[in-house]
């Protein structure tokens, strides 16, 4: 049972480039989340999804888009990367009120 | 909105010392409360949780009690080990389909 898998694990982008982060879970969870982790800021919610085909904005959604076309996948897109988006990105999933399972993280650097 | 405040770190302790990491919250209704731990280079994993007032969550020697009257969920461990060195996050969820809200994290370093 793989749990929550994020790809890629590391990436360096140039300002203005685009990329997509993939989160995949094999636990049949309804809810999926994207957070970013920055020093001294804890985890801040970017976007989340309460089911296939639905998405909602979190605390810091600007500059990001998401899609949940399949229940098991939650994609996070950066259309035009900026240095302020340098961060560690975590995906998580839950089934109702159970514990959240996290991926290993994606370390993104925008230069 | 809902929020979580936890003590700022870093916290440095000697092995076998007593640990307390304070956490207080602001929320409407009756949230569930969690402590997550992040070891170096890894994602977060659940350490313990409590879903109603006066519940005590415990795991791996760590404990935390849901105190509604003080809106607190302090993490404690009687005797820390070097292997407990990590970042600890307090979090809440207000209902089953709402996202977790995290505190800023507290980095713990335990020295031998």
């Amino acid at each position: 049972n793989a749990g929550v898998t994020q790809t890629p694990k590391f990436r360096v982008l140039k300002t203005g480039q685009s990329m997509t982060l993939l989160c995949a879970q094999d636990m049949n969870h309804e809810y999926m989340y994207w957070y970013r982790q920055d020093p001294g800021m804890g985890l801040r919610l970017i976007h989340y999804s309460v089911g296939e085909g639905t998405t909602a904005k979190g605390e810091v959604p600007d500059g990001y888009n998401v899609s949940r076309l399949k229940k098991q996948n939650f994609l996070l897109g950066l259309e035009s990367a900026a240095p302020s988006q340098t961060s560690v990105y975590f995906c998580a999933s839950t089934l109702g009120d159970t514990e959240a399972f996290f991926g290993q993280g994606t370390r993104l650097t925008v230069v | 909105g809902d929020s979580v405040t936890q003590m700022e770190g870093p916290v440095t302790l000697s092995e076998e010392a007593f640990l307390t990491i304070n956490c207080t919250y602001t929320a409407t209704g009756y949230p569930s409360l969690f402590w997550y731990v992040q070891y170096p280079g890894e994602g977060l994993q659940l350490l313990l949780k409590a879903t109603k007032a006066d519940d005590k969550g415990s795991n791996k020697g760590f404990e935390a009690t849901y105190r509604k009257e003080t809106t607190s969920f302090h993490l404690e461990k009687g005797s820390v080990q070097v292997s407990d060195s990590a970042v600890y996050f307090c979090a809440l969820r207000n209902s089953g389909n709402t996202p977790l809200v995290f505190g800023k994290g507290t980095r713990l370093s335990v020295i031998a």
Side-chain angles (χ1 to χ4, degrees):
Chain A
N1 189 340
V4 179
T5 303
Q6 292 182 231
T7 52
K9 290 185 171 48
F10 303 93
R11 185 74 186 267
V12 178
L13 283 180
K14 293 182 179 179
T15 298
Q17 287 185 319
S18 64
M19 78 165 293
T20 300
L21 284 67
L22 171 63
C23 177
Q25 53 94 3
D26 60 2
M27 296 172 284
N28 202 34
H29 284 174
E30 288 292 334
Y31 311 122
M32 297 186 74
Y33 313 92
W34 276 107
Y35 291 89
R36 60 177 289 174
Q37 183 180 24
D38 302 291
M41 301 296 290
L43 274 78
R44 293 181 292 169
L45 183 67
I46 305 172
H47 286 280
Y48 64 102
S49 169
V50 299
E52 181 178 323
T54 72
T55 62
K57 293 180 180 180
E59 180 185 357
V60 288
D62 294 343
Y64 305 95
N65 57 75
V66 288
S67 65
R68 183 99 181 268
L69 298 180
K70 293 183 179 180
K71 186 177 185 180
Q72 63 267 34
N73 295 337
F74 194 30
L75 279 63
L76 178 70
L78 287 74
E79 291 185 346
S80 179
S84 61
Q85 294 178 303
T86 293
S87 187
V88 181
Y89 293 85
F90 287 99
C91 176
S93 71
T94 65
L95 180 64
D97 200 18
T98 61
E99 71 175 277
F101 290 82
F102 284 79
Q104 294 287 83
T106 296
R107 185 174 295 276
L108 174 66
T109 302
V110 183
V111 298
Chain B
D2 300 340
S3 65
V4 174
T5 303
Q6 59 182 105
M7 63 185 287
E8 304 238 350
V11 174
T12 302
L13 295 174
S14 297
E15 209 166 21
E16 299 185 2
F18 184 86
L19 168 71
T20 300
I21 300 177
N22 291 336
C23 171
T24 57
Y25 68 90
T26 301
T28 56
Y30 303 95
S32 294
L33 302 175
F34 306 82
W35 277 100
Y36 281 81
V37 58
Q38 183 181 31
Y39 297 104
E42 299 184 8
L44 281 71
Q45 54 187 277
L46 180 68
L47 180 59
L48 54 84
K49 69 176 184 180
T51 58
K52 61 183 187 296
D54 299 325
D55 268 2
K56 177 185 282 189
S58 62
N59 186 25
K60 300 180 181 180
F62 291 89
E63 294 182 341
T65 301
Y66 189 142
R67 301 288 189 199
K68 188 166 178 60
E69 63 276 12
T70 55
T71 62
S72 65
F73 193 54
H74 304 322
L75 182 68
E76 296 182 335
K77 186 175 185 183
S79 177
V80 294
Q81 305 300 312
V82 172
S83 57
D84 293 326
S85 298
V87 182
Y88 293 82
F89 291 91
C90 186
L92 70 82
R93 179 187 289 131
N94 216 332
S95 66
N97 62 354
T98 57
L100 283 164
V101 175
F102 287 90
K104 293 185 177 181
T106 302
R107 182 176 300 278
L108 169 66
S109 296
V110 181
I111 54 177

